Amino acid sequence: MKVFSRREFLISSAIALLPFRARSAQQQDVEIGIIRWDAWFPGSPYSKVLAEPRWQGRLPEFTKGNGKDICICGSDPKTLATEVKEALNSGITYFAFNYYFPEDGSGNFSQNWQGMGQALRSFQKLDTKLKYSLIFDARFAMFNNPKYRSNVVDEHVAAFASRNYLKTQSGRPVIYILMQNHNEFRQGMSHRDRIEEYFSRLKSECAERNLKSPYRVVVTFSPTDARMLISMFGFDAATSYGNPRGSQKMPPGHELPFSNCANGSRQYWKTAKSISIPFIPPVSLGWDYRPNLDEPNLAKGRNIAGDYCDAPSDQEIKSLVRDACDVASESNVSFPSILIYAWNEYTEGGWIAPTKGEGRRRLDALKSALSSRSK
């Protein structure tokens, strides 16, 4: 009979007491995705508003320059390499890049769209284990010019074929299709033929390159809208980009506790489960677009009386992320994942990347949440 030392006894006892939740997470791995919105390039109007003193705490740590003469140069290869390292070290398994084609719907060149696509294209040149996916706004599928619609499909299929593009366990490339607000939803209904053409070409070109049919996730605020879109277009699952809060008729908007934002995510999960749609749990880590209201062009279409959430505490981040992972791990979808809002939505209030005001606090909280599940 073996006699255990005190140290061996303590270790074996601790292992025996590990929570069941952590074990179940190991039985079904959960991909940890996080949204990237890369409006951070020289001359970006979004960088301009963050140069204002009251918003400078939101500036990412890699910001160059001082005062109003700053550059949030997010597509710089060295900056991206650092962000990739931070993400991998924190347990993130993929970036979900917003995809921007450098032409608008009429075929005119758009400087902002070109700038917003630079980080994705720089990332695609990196040699990294971090995976990536695309978030594709369905409005791009409605280009009037067939050539542009064809180019979009070509770019997507080329991305699917890359070594580190995100795929399901069965090898299907994962793509998120943004049909976010009610206007886009109605537009999607009236342009059904264009969207179906995009999906059909995507599938056929994947087959030509010996790639499996894409795993398509519709992105909407409403699970009930998602249910109808799944029925219409055959999406494989649904999720949300974020969970915006309510609004007032007159300014100013009200500051809400972060628990209000967190409850928005949890309500999405609850509703999606109740109506029996396959879904990827969204995790909204913030909502506060007040910086954009300082710039007239960015404020267009915004509700100036919109409510906003205060910053999440470390414990609130941990709790929401762990709960989302539990929901994803227990689901019966073929692609168990969570989608976090967001890595770098600095002007919208959803970020987890290190900033000048908070340092690594949010990222460390995420790392703690994910590491505790893998033990």
Side-chain angles (χ1 to χ4, degrees):
M1 177 179 176
K2 181 177 179 180
V3 178
F4 286 89
S5 67
R6 174 179 171 81
R7 181 174 181 274
E8 289 172 324
F9 174 80
L10 291 174
I11 291 174
S12 62
S13 298
I15 293 174
L17 291 173
L18 281 174
F20 179 76
R21 182 176 64 181
R23 293 177 180 173
S24 65
Q26 291 179 340
Q27 292 172 3
Q28 177 161 282
D29 292 336
V30 175
E31 294 277 6
I32 309 299
I34 193 161
I35 294 169
R36 286 191 65 113
W37 183 70
D38 290 287
W40 316 114
F41 52 89
S44 168
Y46 298 94
S47 299
K48 179 181 177 181
V49 297
L50 290 182
E52 295 299 322
R54 65 173 175 154
W55 305 125
Q56 287 184 5
R58 300 191 185 198
L59 289 169
E61 285 189 340
F62 63 79
T63 302
K64 299 178 181 178
N66 296 293
K68 293 188 177 183
D69 184 22
I70 62 170
C71 179
I72 309 177
C73 303
S75 61
D76 176 73
K78 290 184 179 180
T79 296
L80 271 174
T82 299
E83 289 191 304
V84 165
K85 183 178 179 180
E86 295 272 20
L88 286 170
N89 186 52
S90 302
I92 294 167
T93 57
Y94 70 93
F95 280 152
F97 283 89
N98 277 277
Y99 170 86
Y100 284 90
F101 188 70
E103 307 282 343
D104 70 17
S106 301
N108 297 317
F109 180 78
S110 169
Q111 182 178 359
N112 281 350
W113 284 11
Q114 185 195 44
M116 290 176 178
Q118 289 176 0
L120 168 62
R121 288 162 180 81
S122 292
F123 178 88
Q124 289 172 322
K125 297 176 183 178
L126 295 178
D127 182 13
T128 174
K129 295 180 179 179
L130 186 69
K131 292 173 280 190
Y132 76 101
S133 182
L134 300 178
I135 301 175
F136 177 59
D137 192 324
R139 291 174 299 181
F140 286 112
M142 302 172 197
F143 281 170
N144 293 324
N145 190 322
K147 176 183 177 182
Y148 297 136
R149 299 202 300 273
S150 176
N151 289 344
V152 166
V153 173
D154 291 343
E155 282 203 1
H156 289 181
V157 175
F160 296 166
S162 60
R163 175 187 55 81
N164 61 329
Y165 192 85
L166 179 69
K167 296 179 176 66
T168 66
Q169 290 184 349
S170 62
R172 298 176 63 188
V174 179
I175 185 167
Y176 292 92
I177 308 298
L178 185 66
M179 302 180 78
Q180 187 70 303
N181 59 39
H182 294 299
N183 289 331
E184 290 176 356
F185 176 70
R186 286 195 293 269
Q187 191 176 28
M189 297 276 285
S190 62
H191 291 80
R192 181 170 179 171
D193 58 336
R194 292 279 180 86
I195 297 174
E196 289 182 335
E197 175 196 347
Y198 162 74
F199 289 144
S200 177
R201 292 200 57 193
L202 200 65
K203 184 176 181 179
S204 63
E205 291 199 21
C206 280
E208 289 178 7
R209 298 189 63 166
N210 294 319
L211 297 170
K212 293 191 175 182
S213 177
Y215 186 91
R216 298 171 299 146
V217 184
V218 63
V219 183
T220 71
F221 284 135
S222 166
T224 54
D225 283 354
R227 178 173 59 181
M228 183 176 292
L229 289 166
I230 289 172
S231 176
M232 288 177 60
F233 297 108
F235 289 108
D236 296 282
T239 193
S240 177
Y241 193 90
N243 298 107
R245 298 299 80 214
S247 60
Q248 306 299 315
K249 293 183 179 179
M250 295 294 291
H254 294 143
E255 180 178 6
L256 304 173
F258 178 76
S259 59
N260 192 292
C261 267
N263 288 340
S265 294
R266 291 191 170 95
Q267 184 59 47
Y268 187 101
W269 313 342
K270 181 179 179 180
T271 301
K273 289 178 71 174
S274 70
I275 62 177
S276 300
I277 62 170
F279 71 100
I280 292 171
V283 180
S284 182
L285 292 183
W287 184 259
D288 182 4
Y289 59 71
R290 288 177 297 159
N292 290 329
L293 301 180
D294 292 344
E295 172 59 43
N297 287 331
L298 302 184
K300 290 180 180 178
R302 297 279 188 178
N303 182 354
I304 63 172
D307 291 339
Y308 55 94
C309 290
D310 61 13
S313 68
D314 292 359
Q315 186 55 44
E316 286 173 322
I317 292 174
K318 295 175 187 178
S319 175
L320 187 59
V321 169
R322 287 169 181 160
D323 289 350
C325 287
D326 283 346
V327 171
S329 181
E330 295 164 4
S331 70
N332 59 0
V333 298
S334 58
F335 176 64
S337 175
I338 67 172
L339 185 64
I340 300 172
Y341 174 83
W343 178 262
N344 58 351
E345 287 265 22
Y346 305 115
T347 61
E348 299 278 359
W351 74 84
I352 205 163
T355 59
K356 290 184 178 293
E358 292 186 321
R360 297 177 46 86
R361 181 184 73 81
R362 299 190 188 198
L363 199 58
D364 287 342
L366 174 66
K367 180 179 181 179
S368 176
L370 297 175
S371 62
S372 67
R373 289 185 55 84
S374 62
K375 291 179 180 179

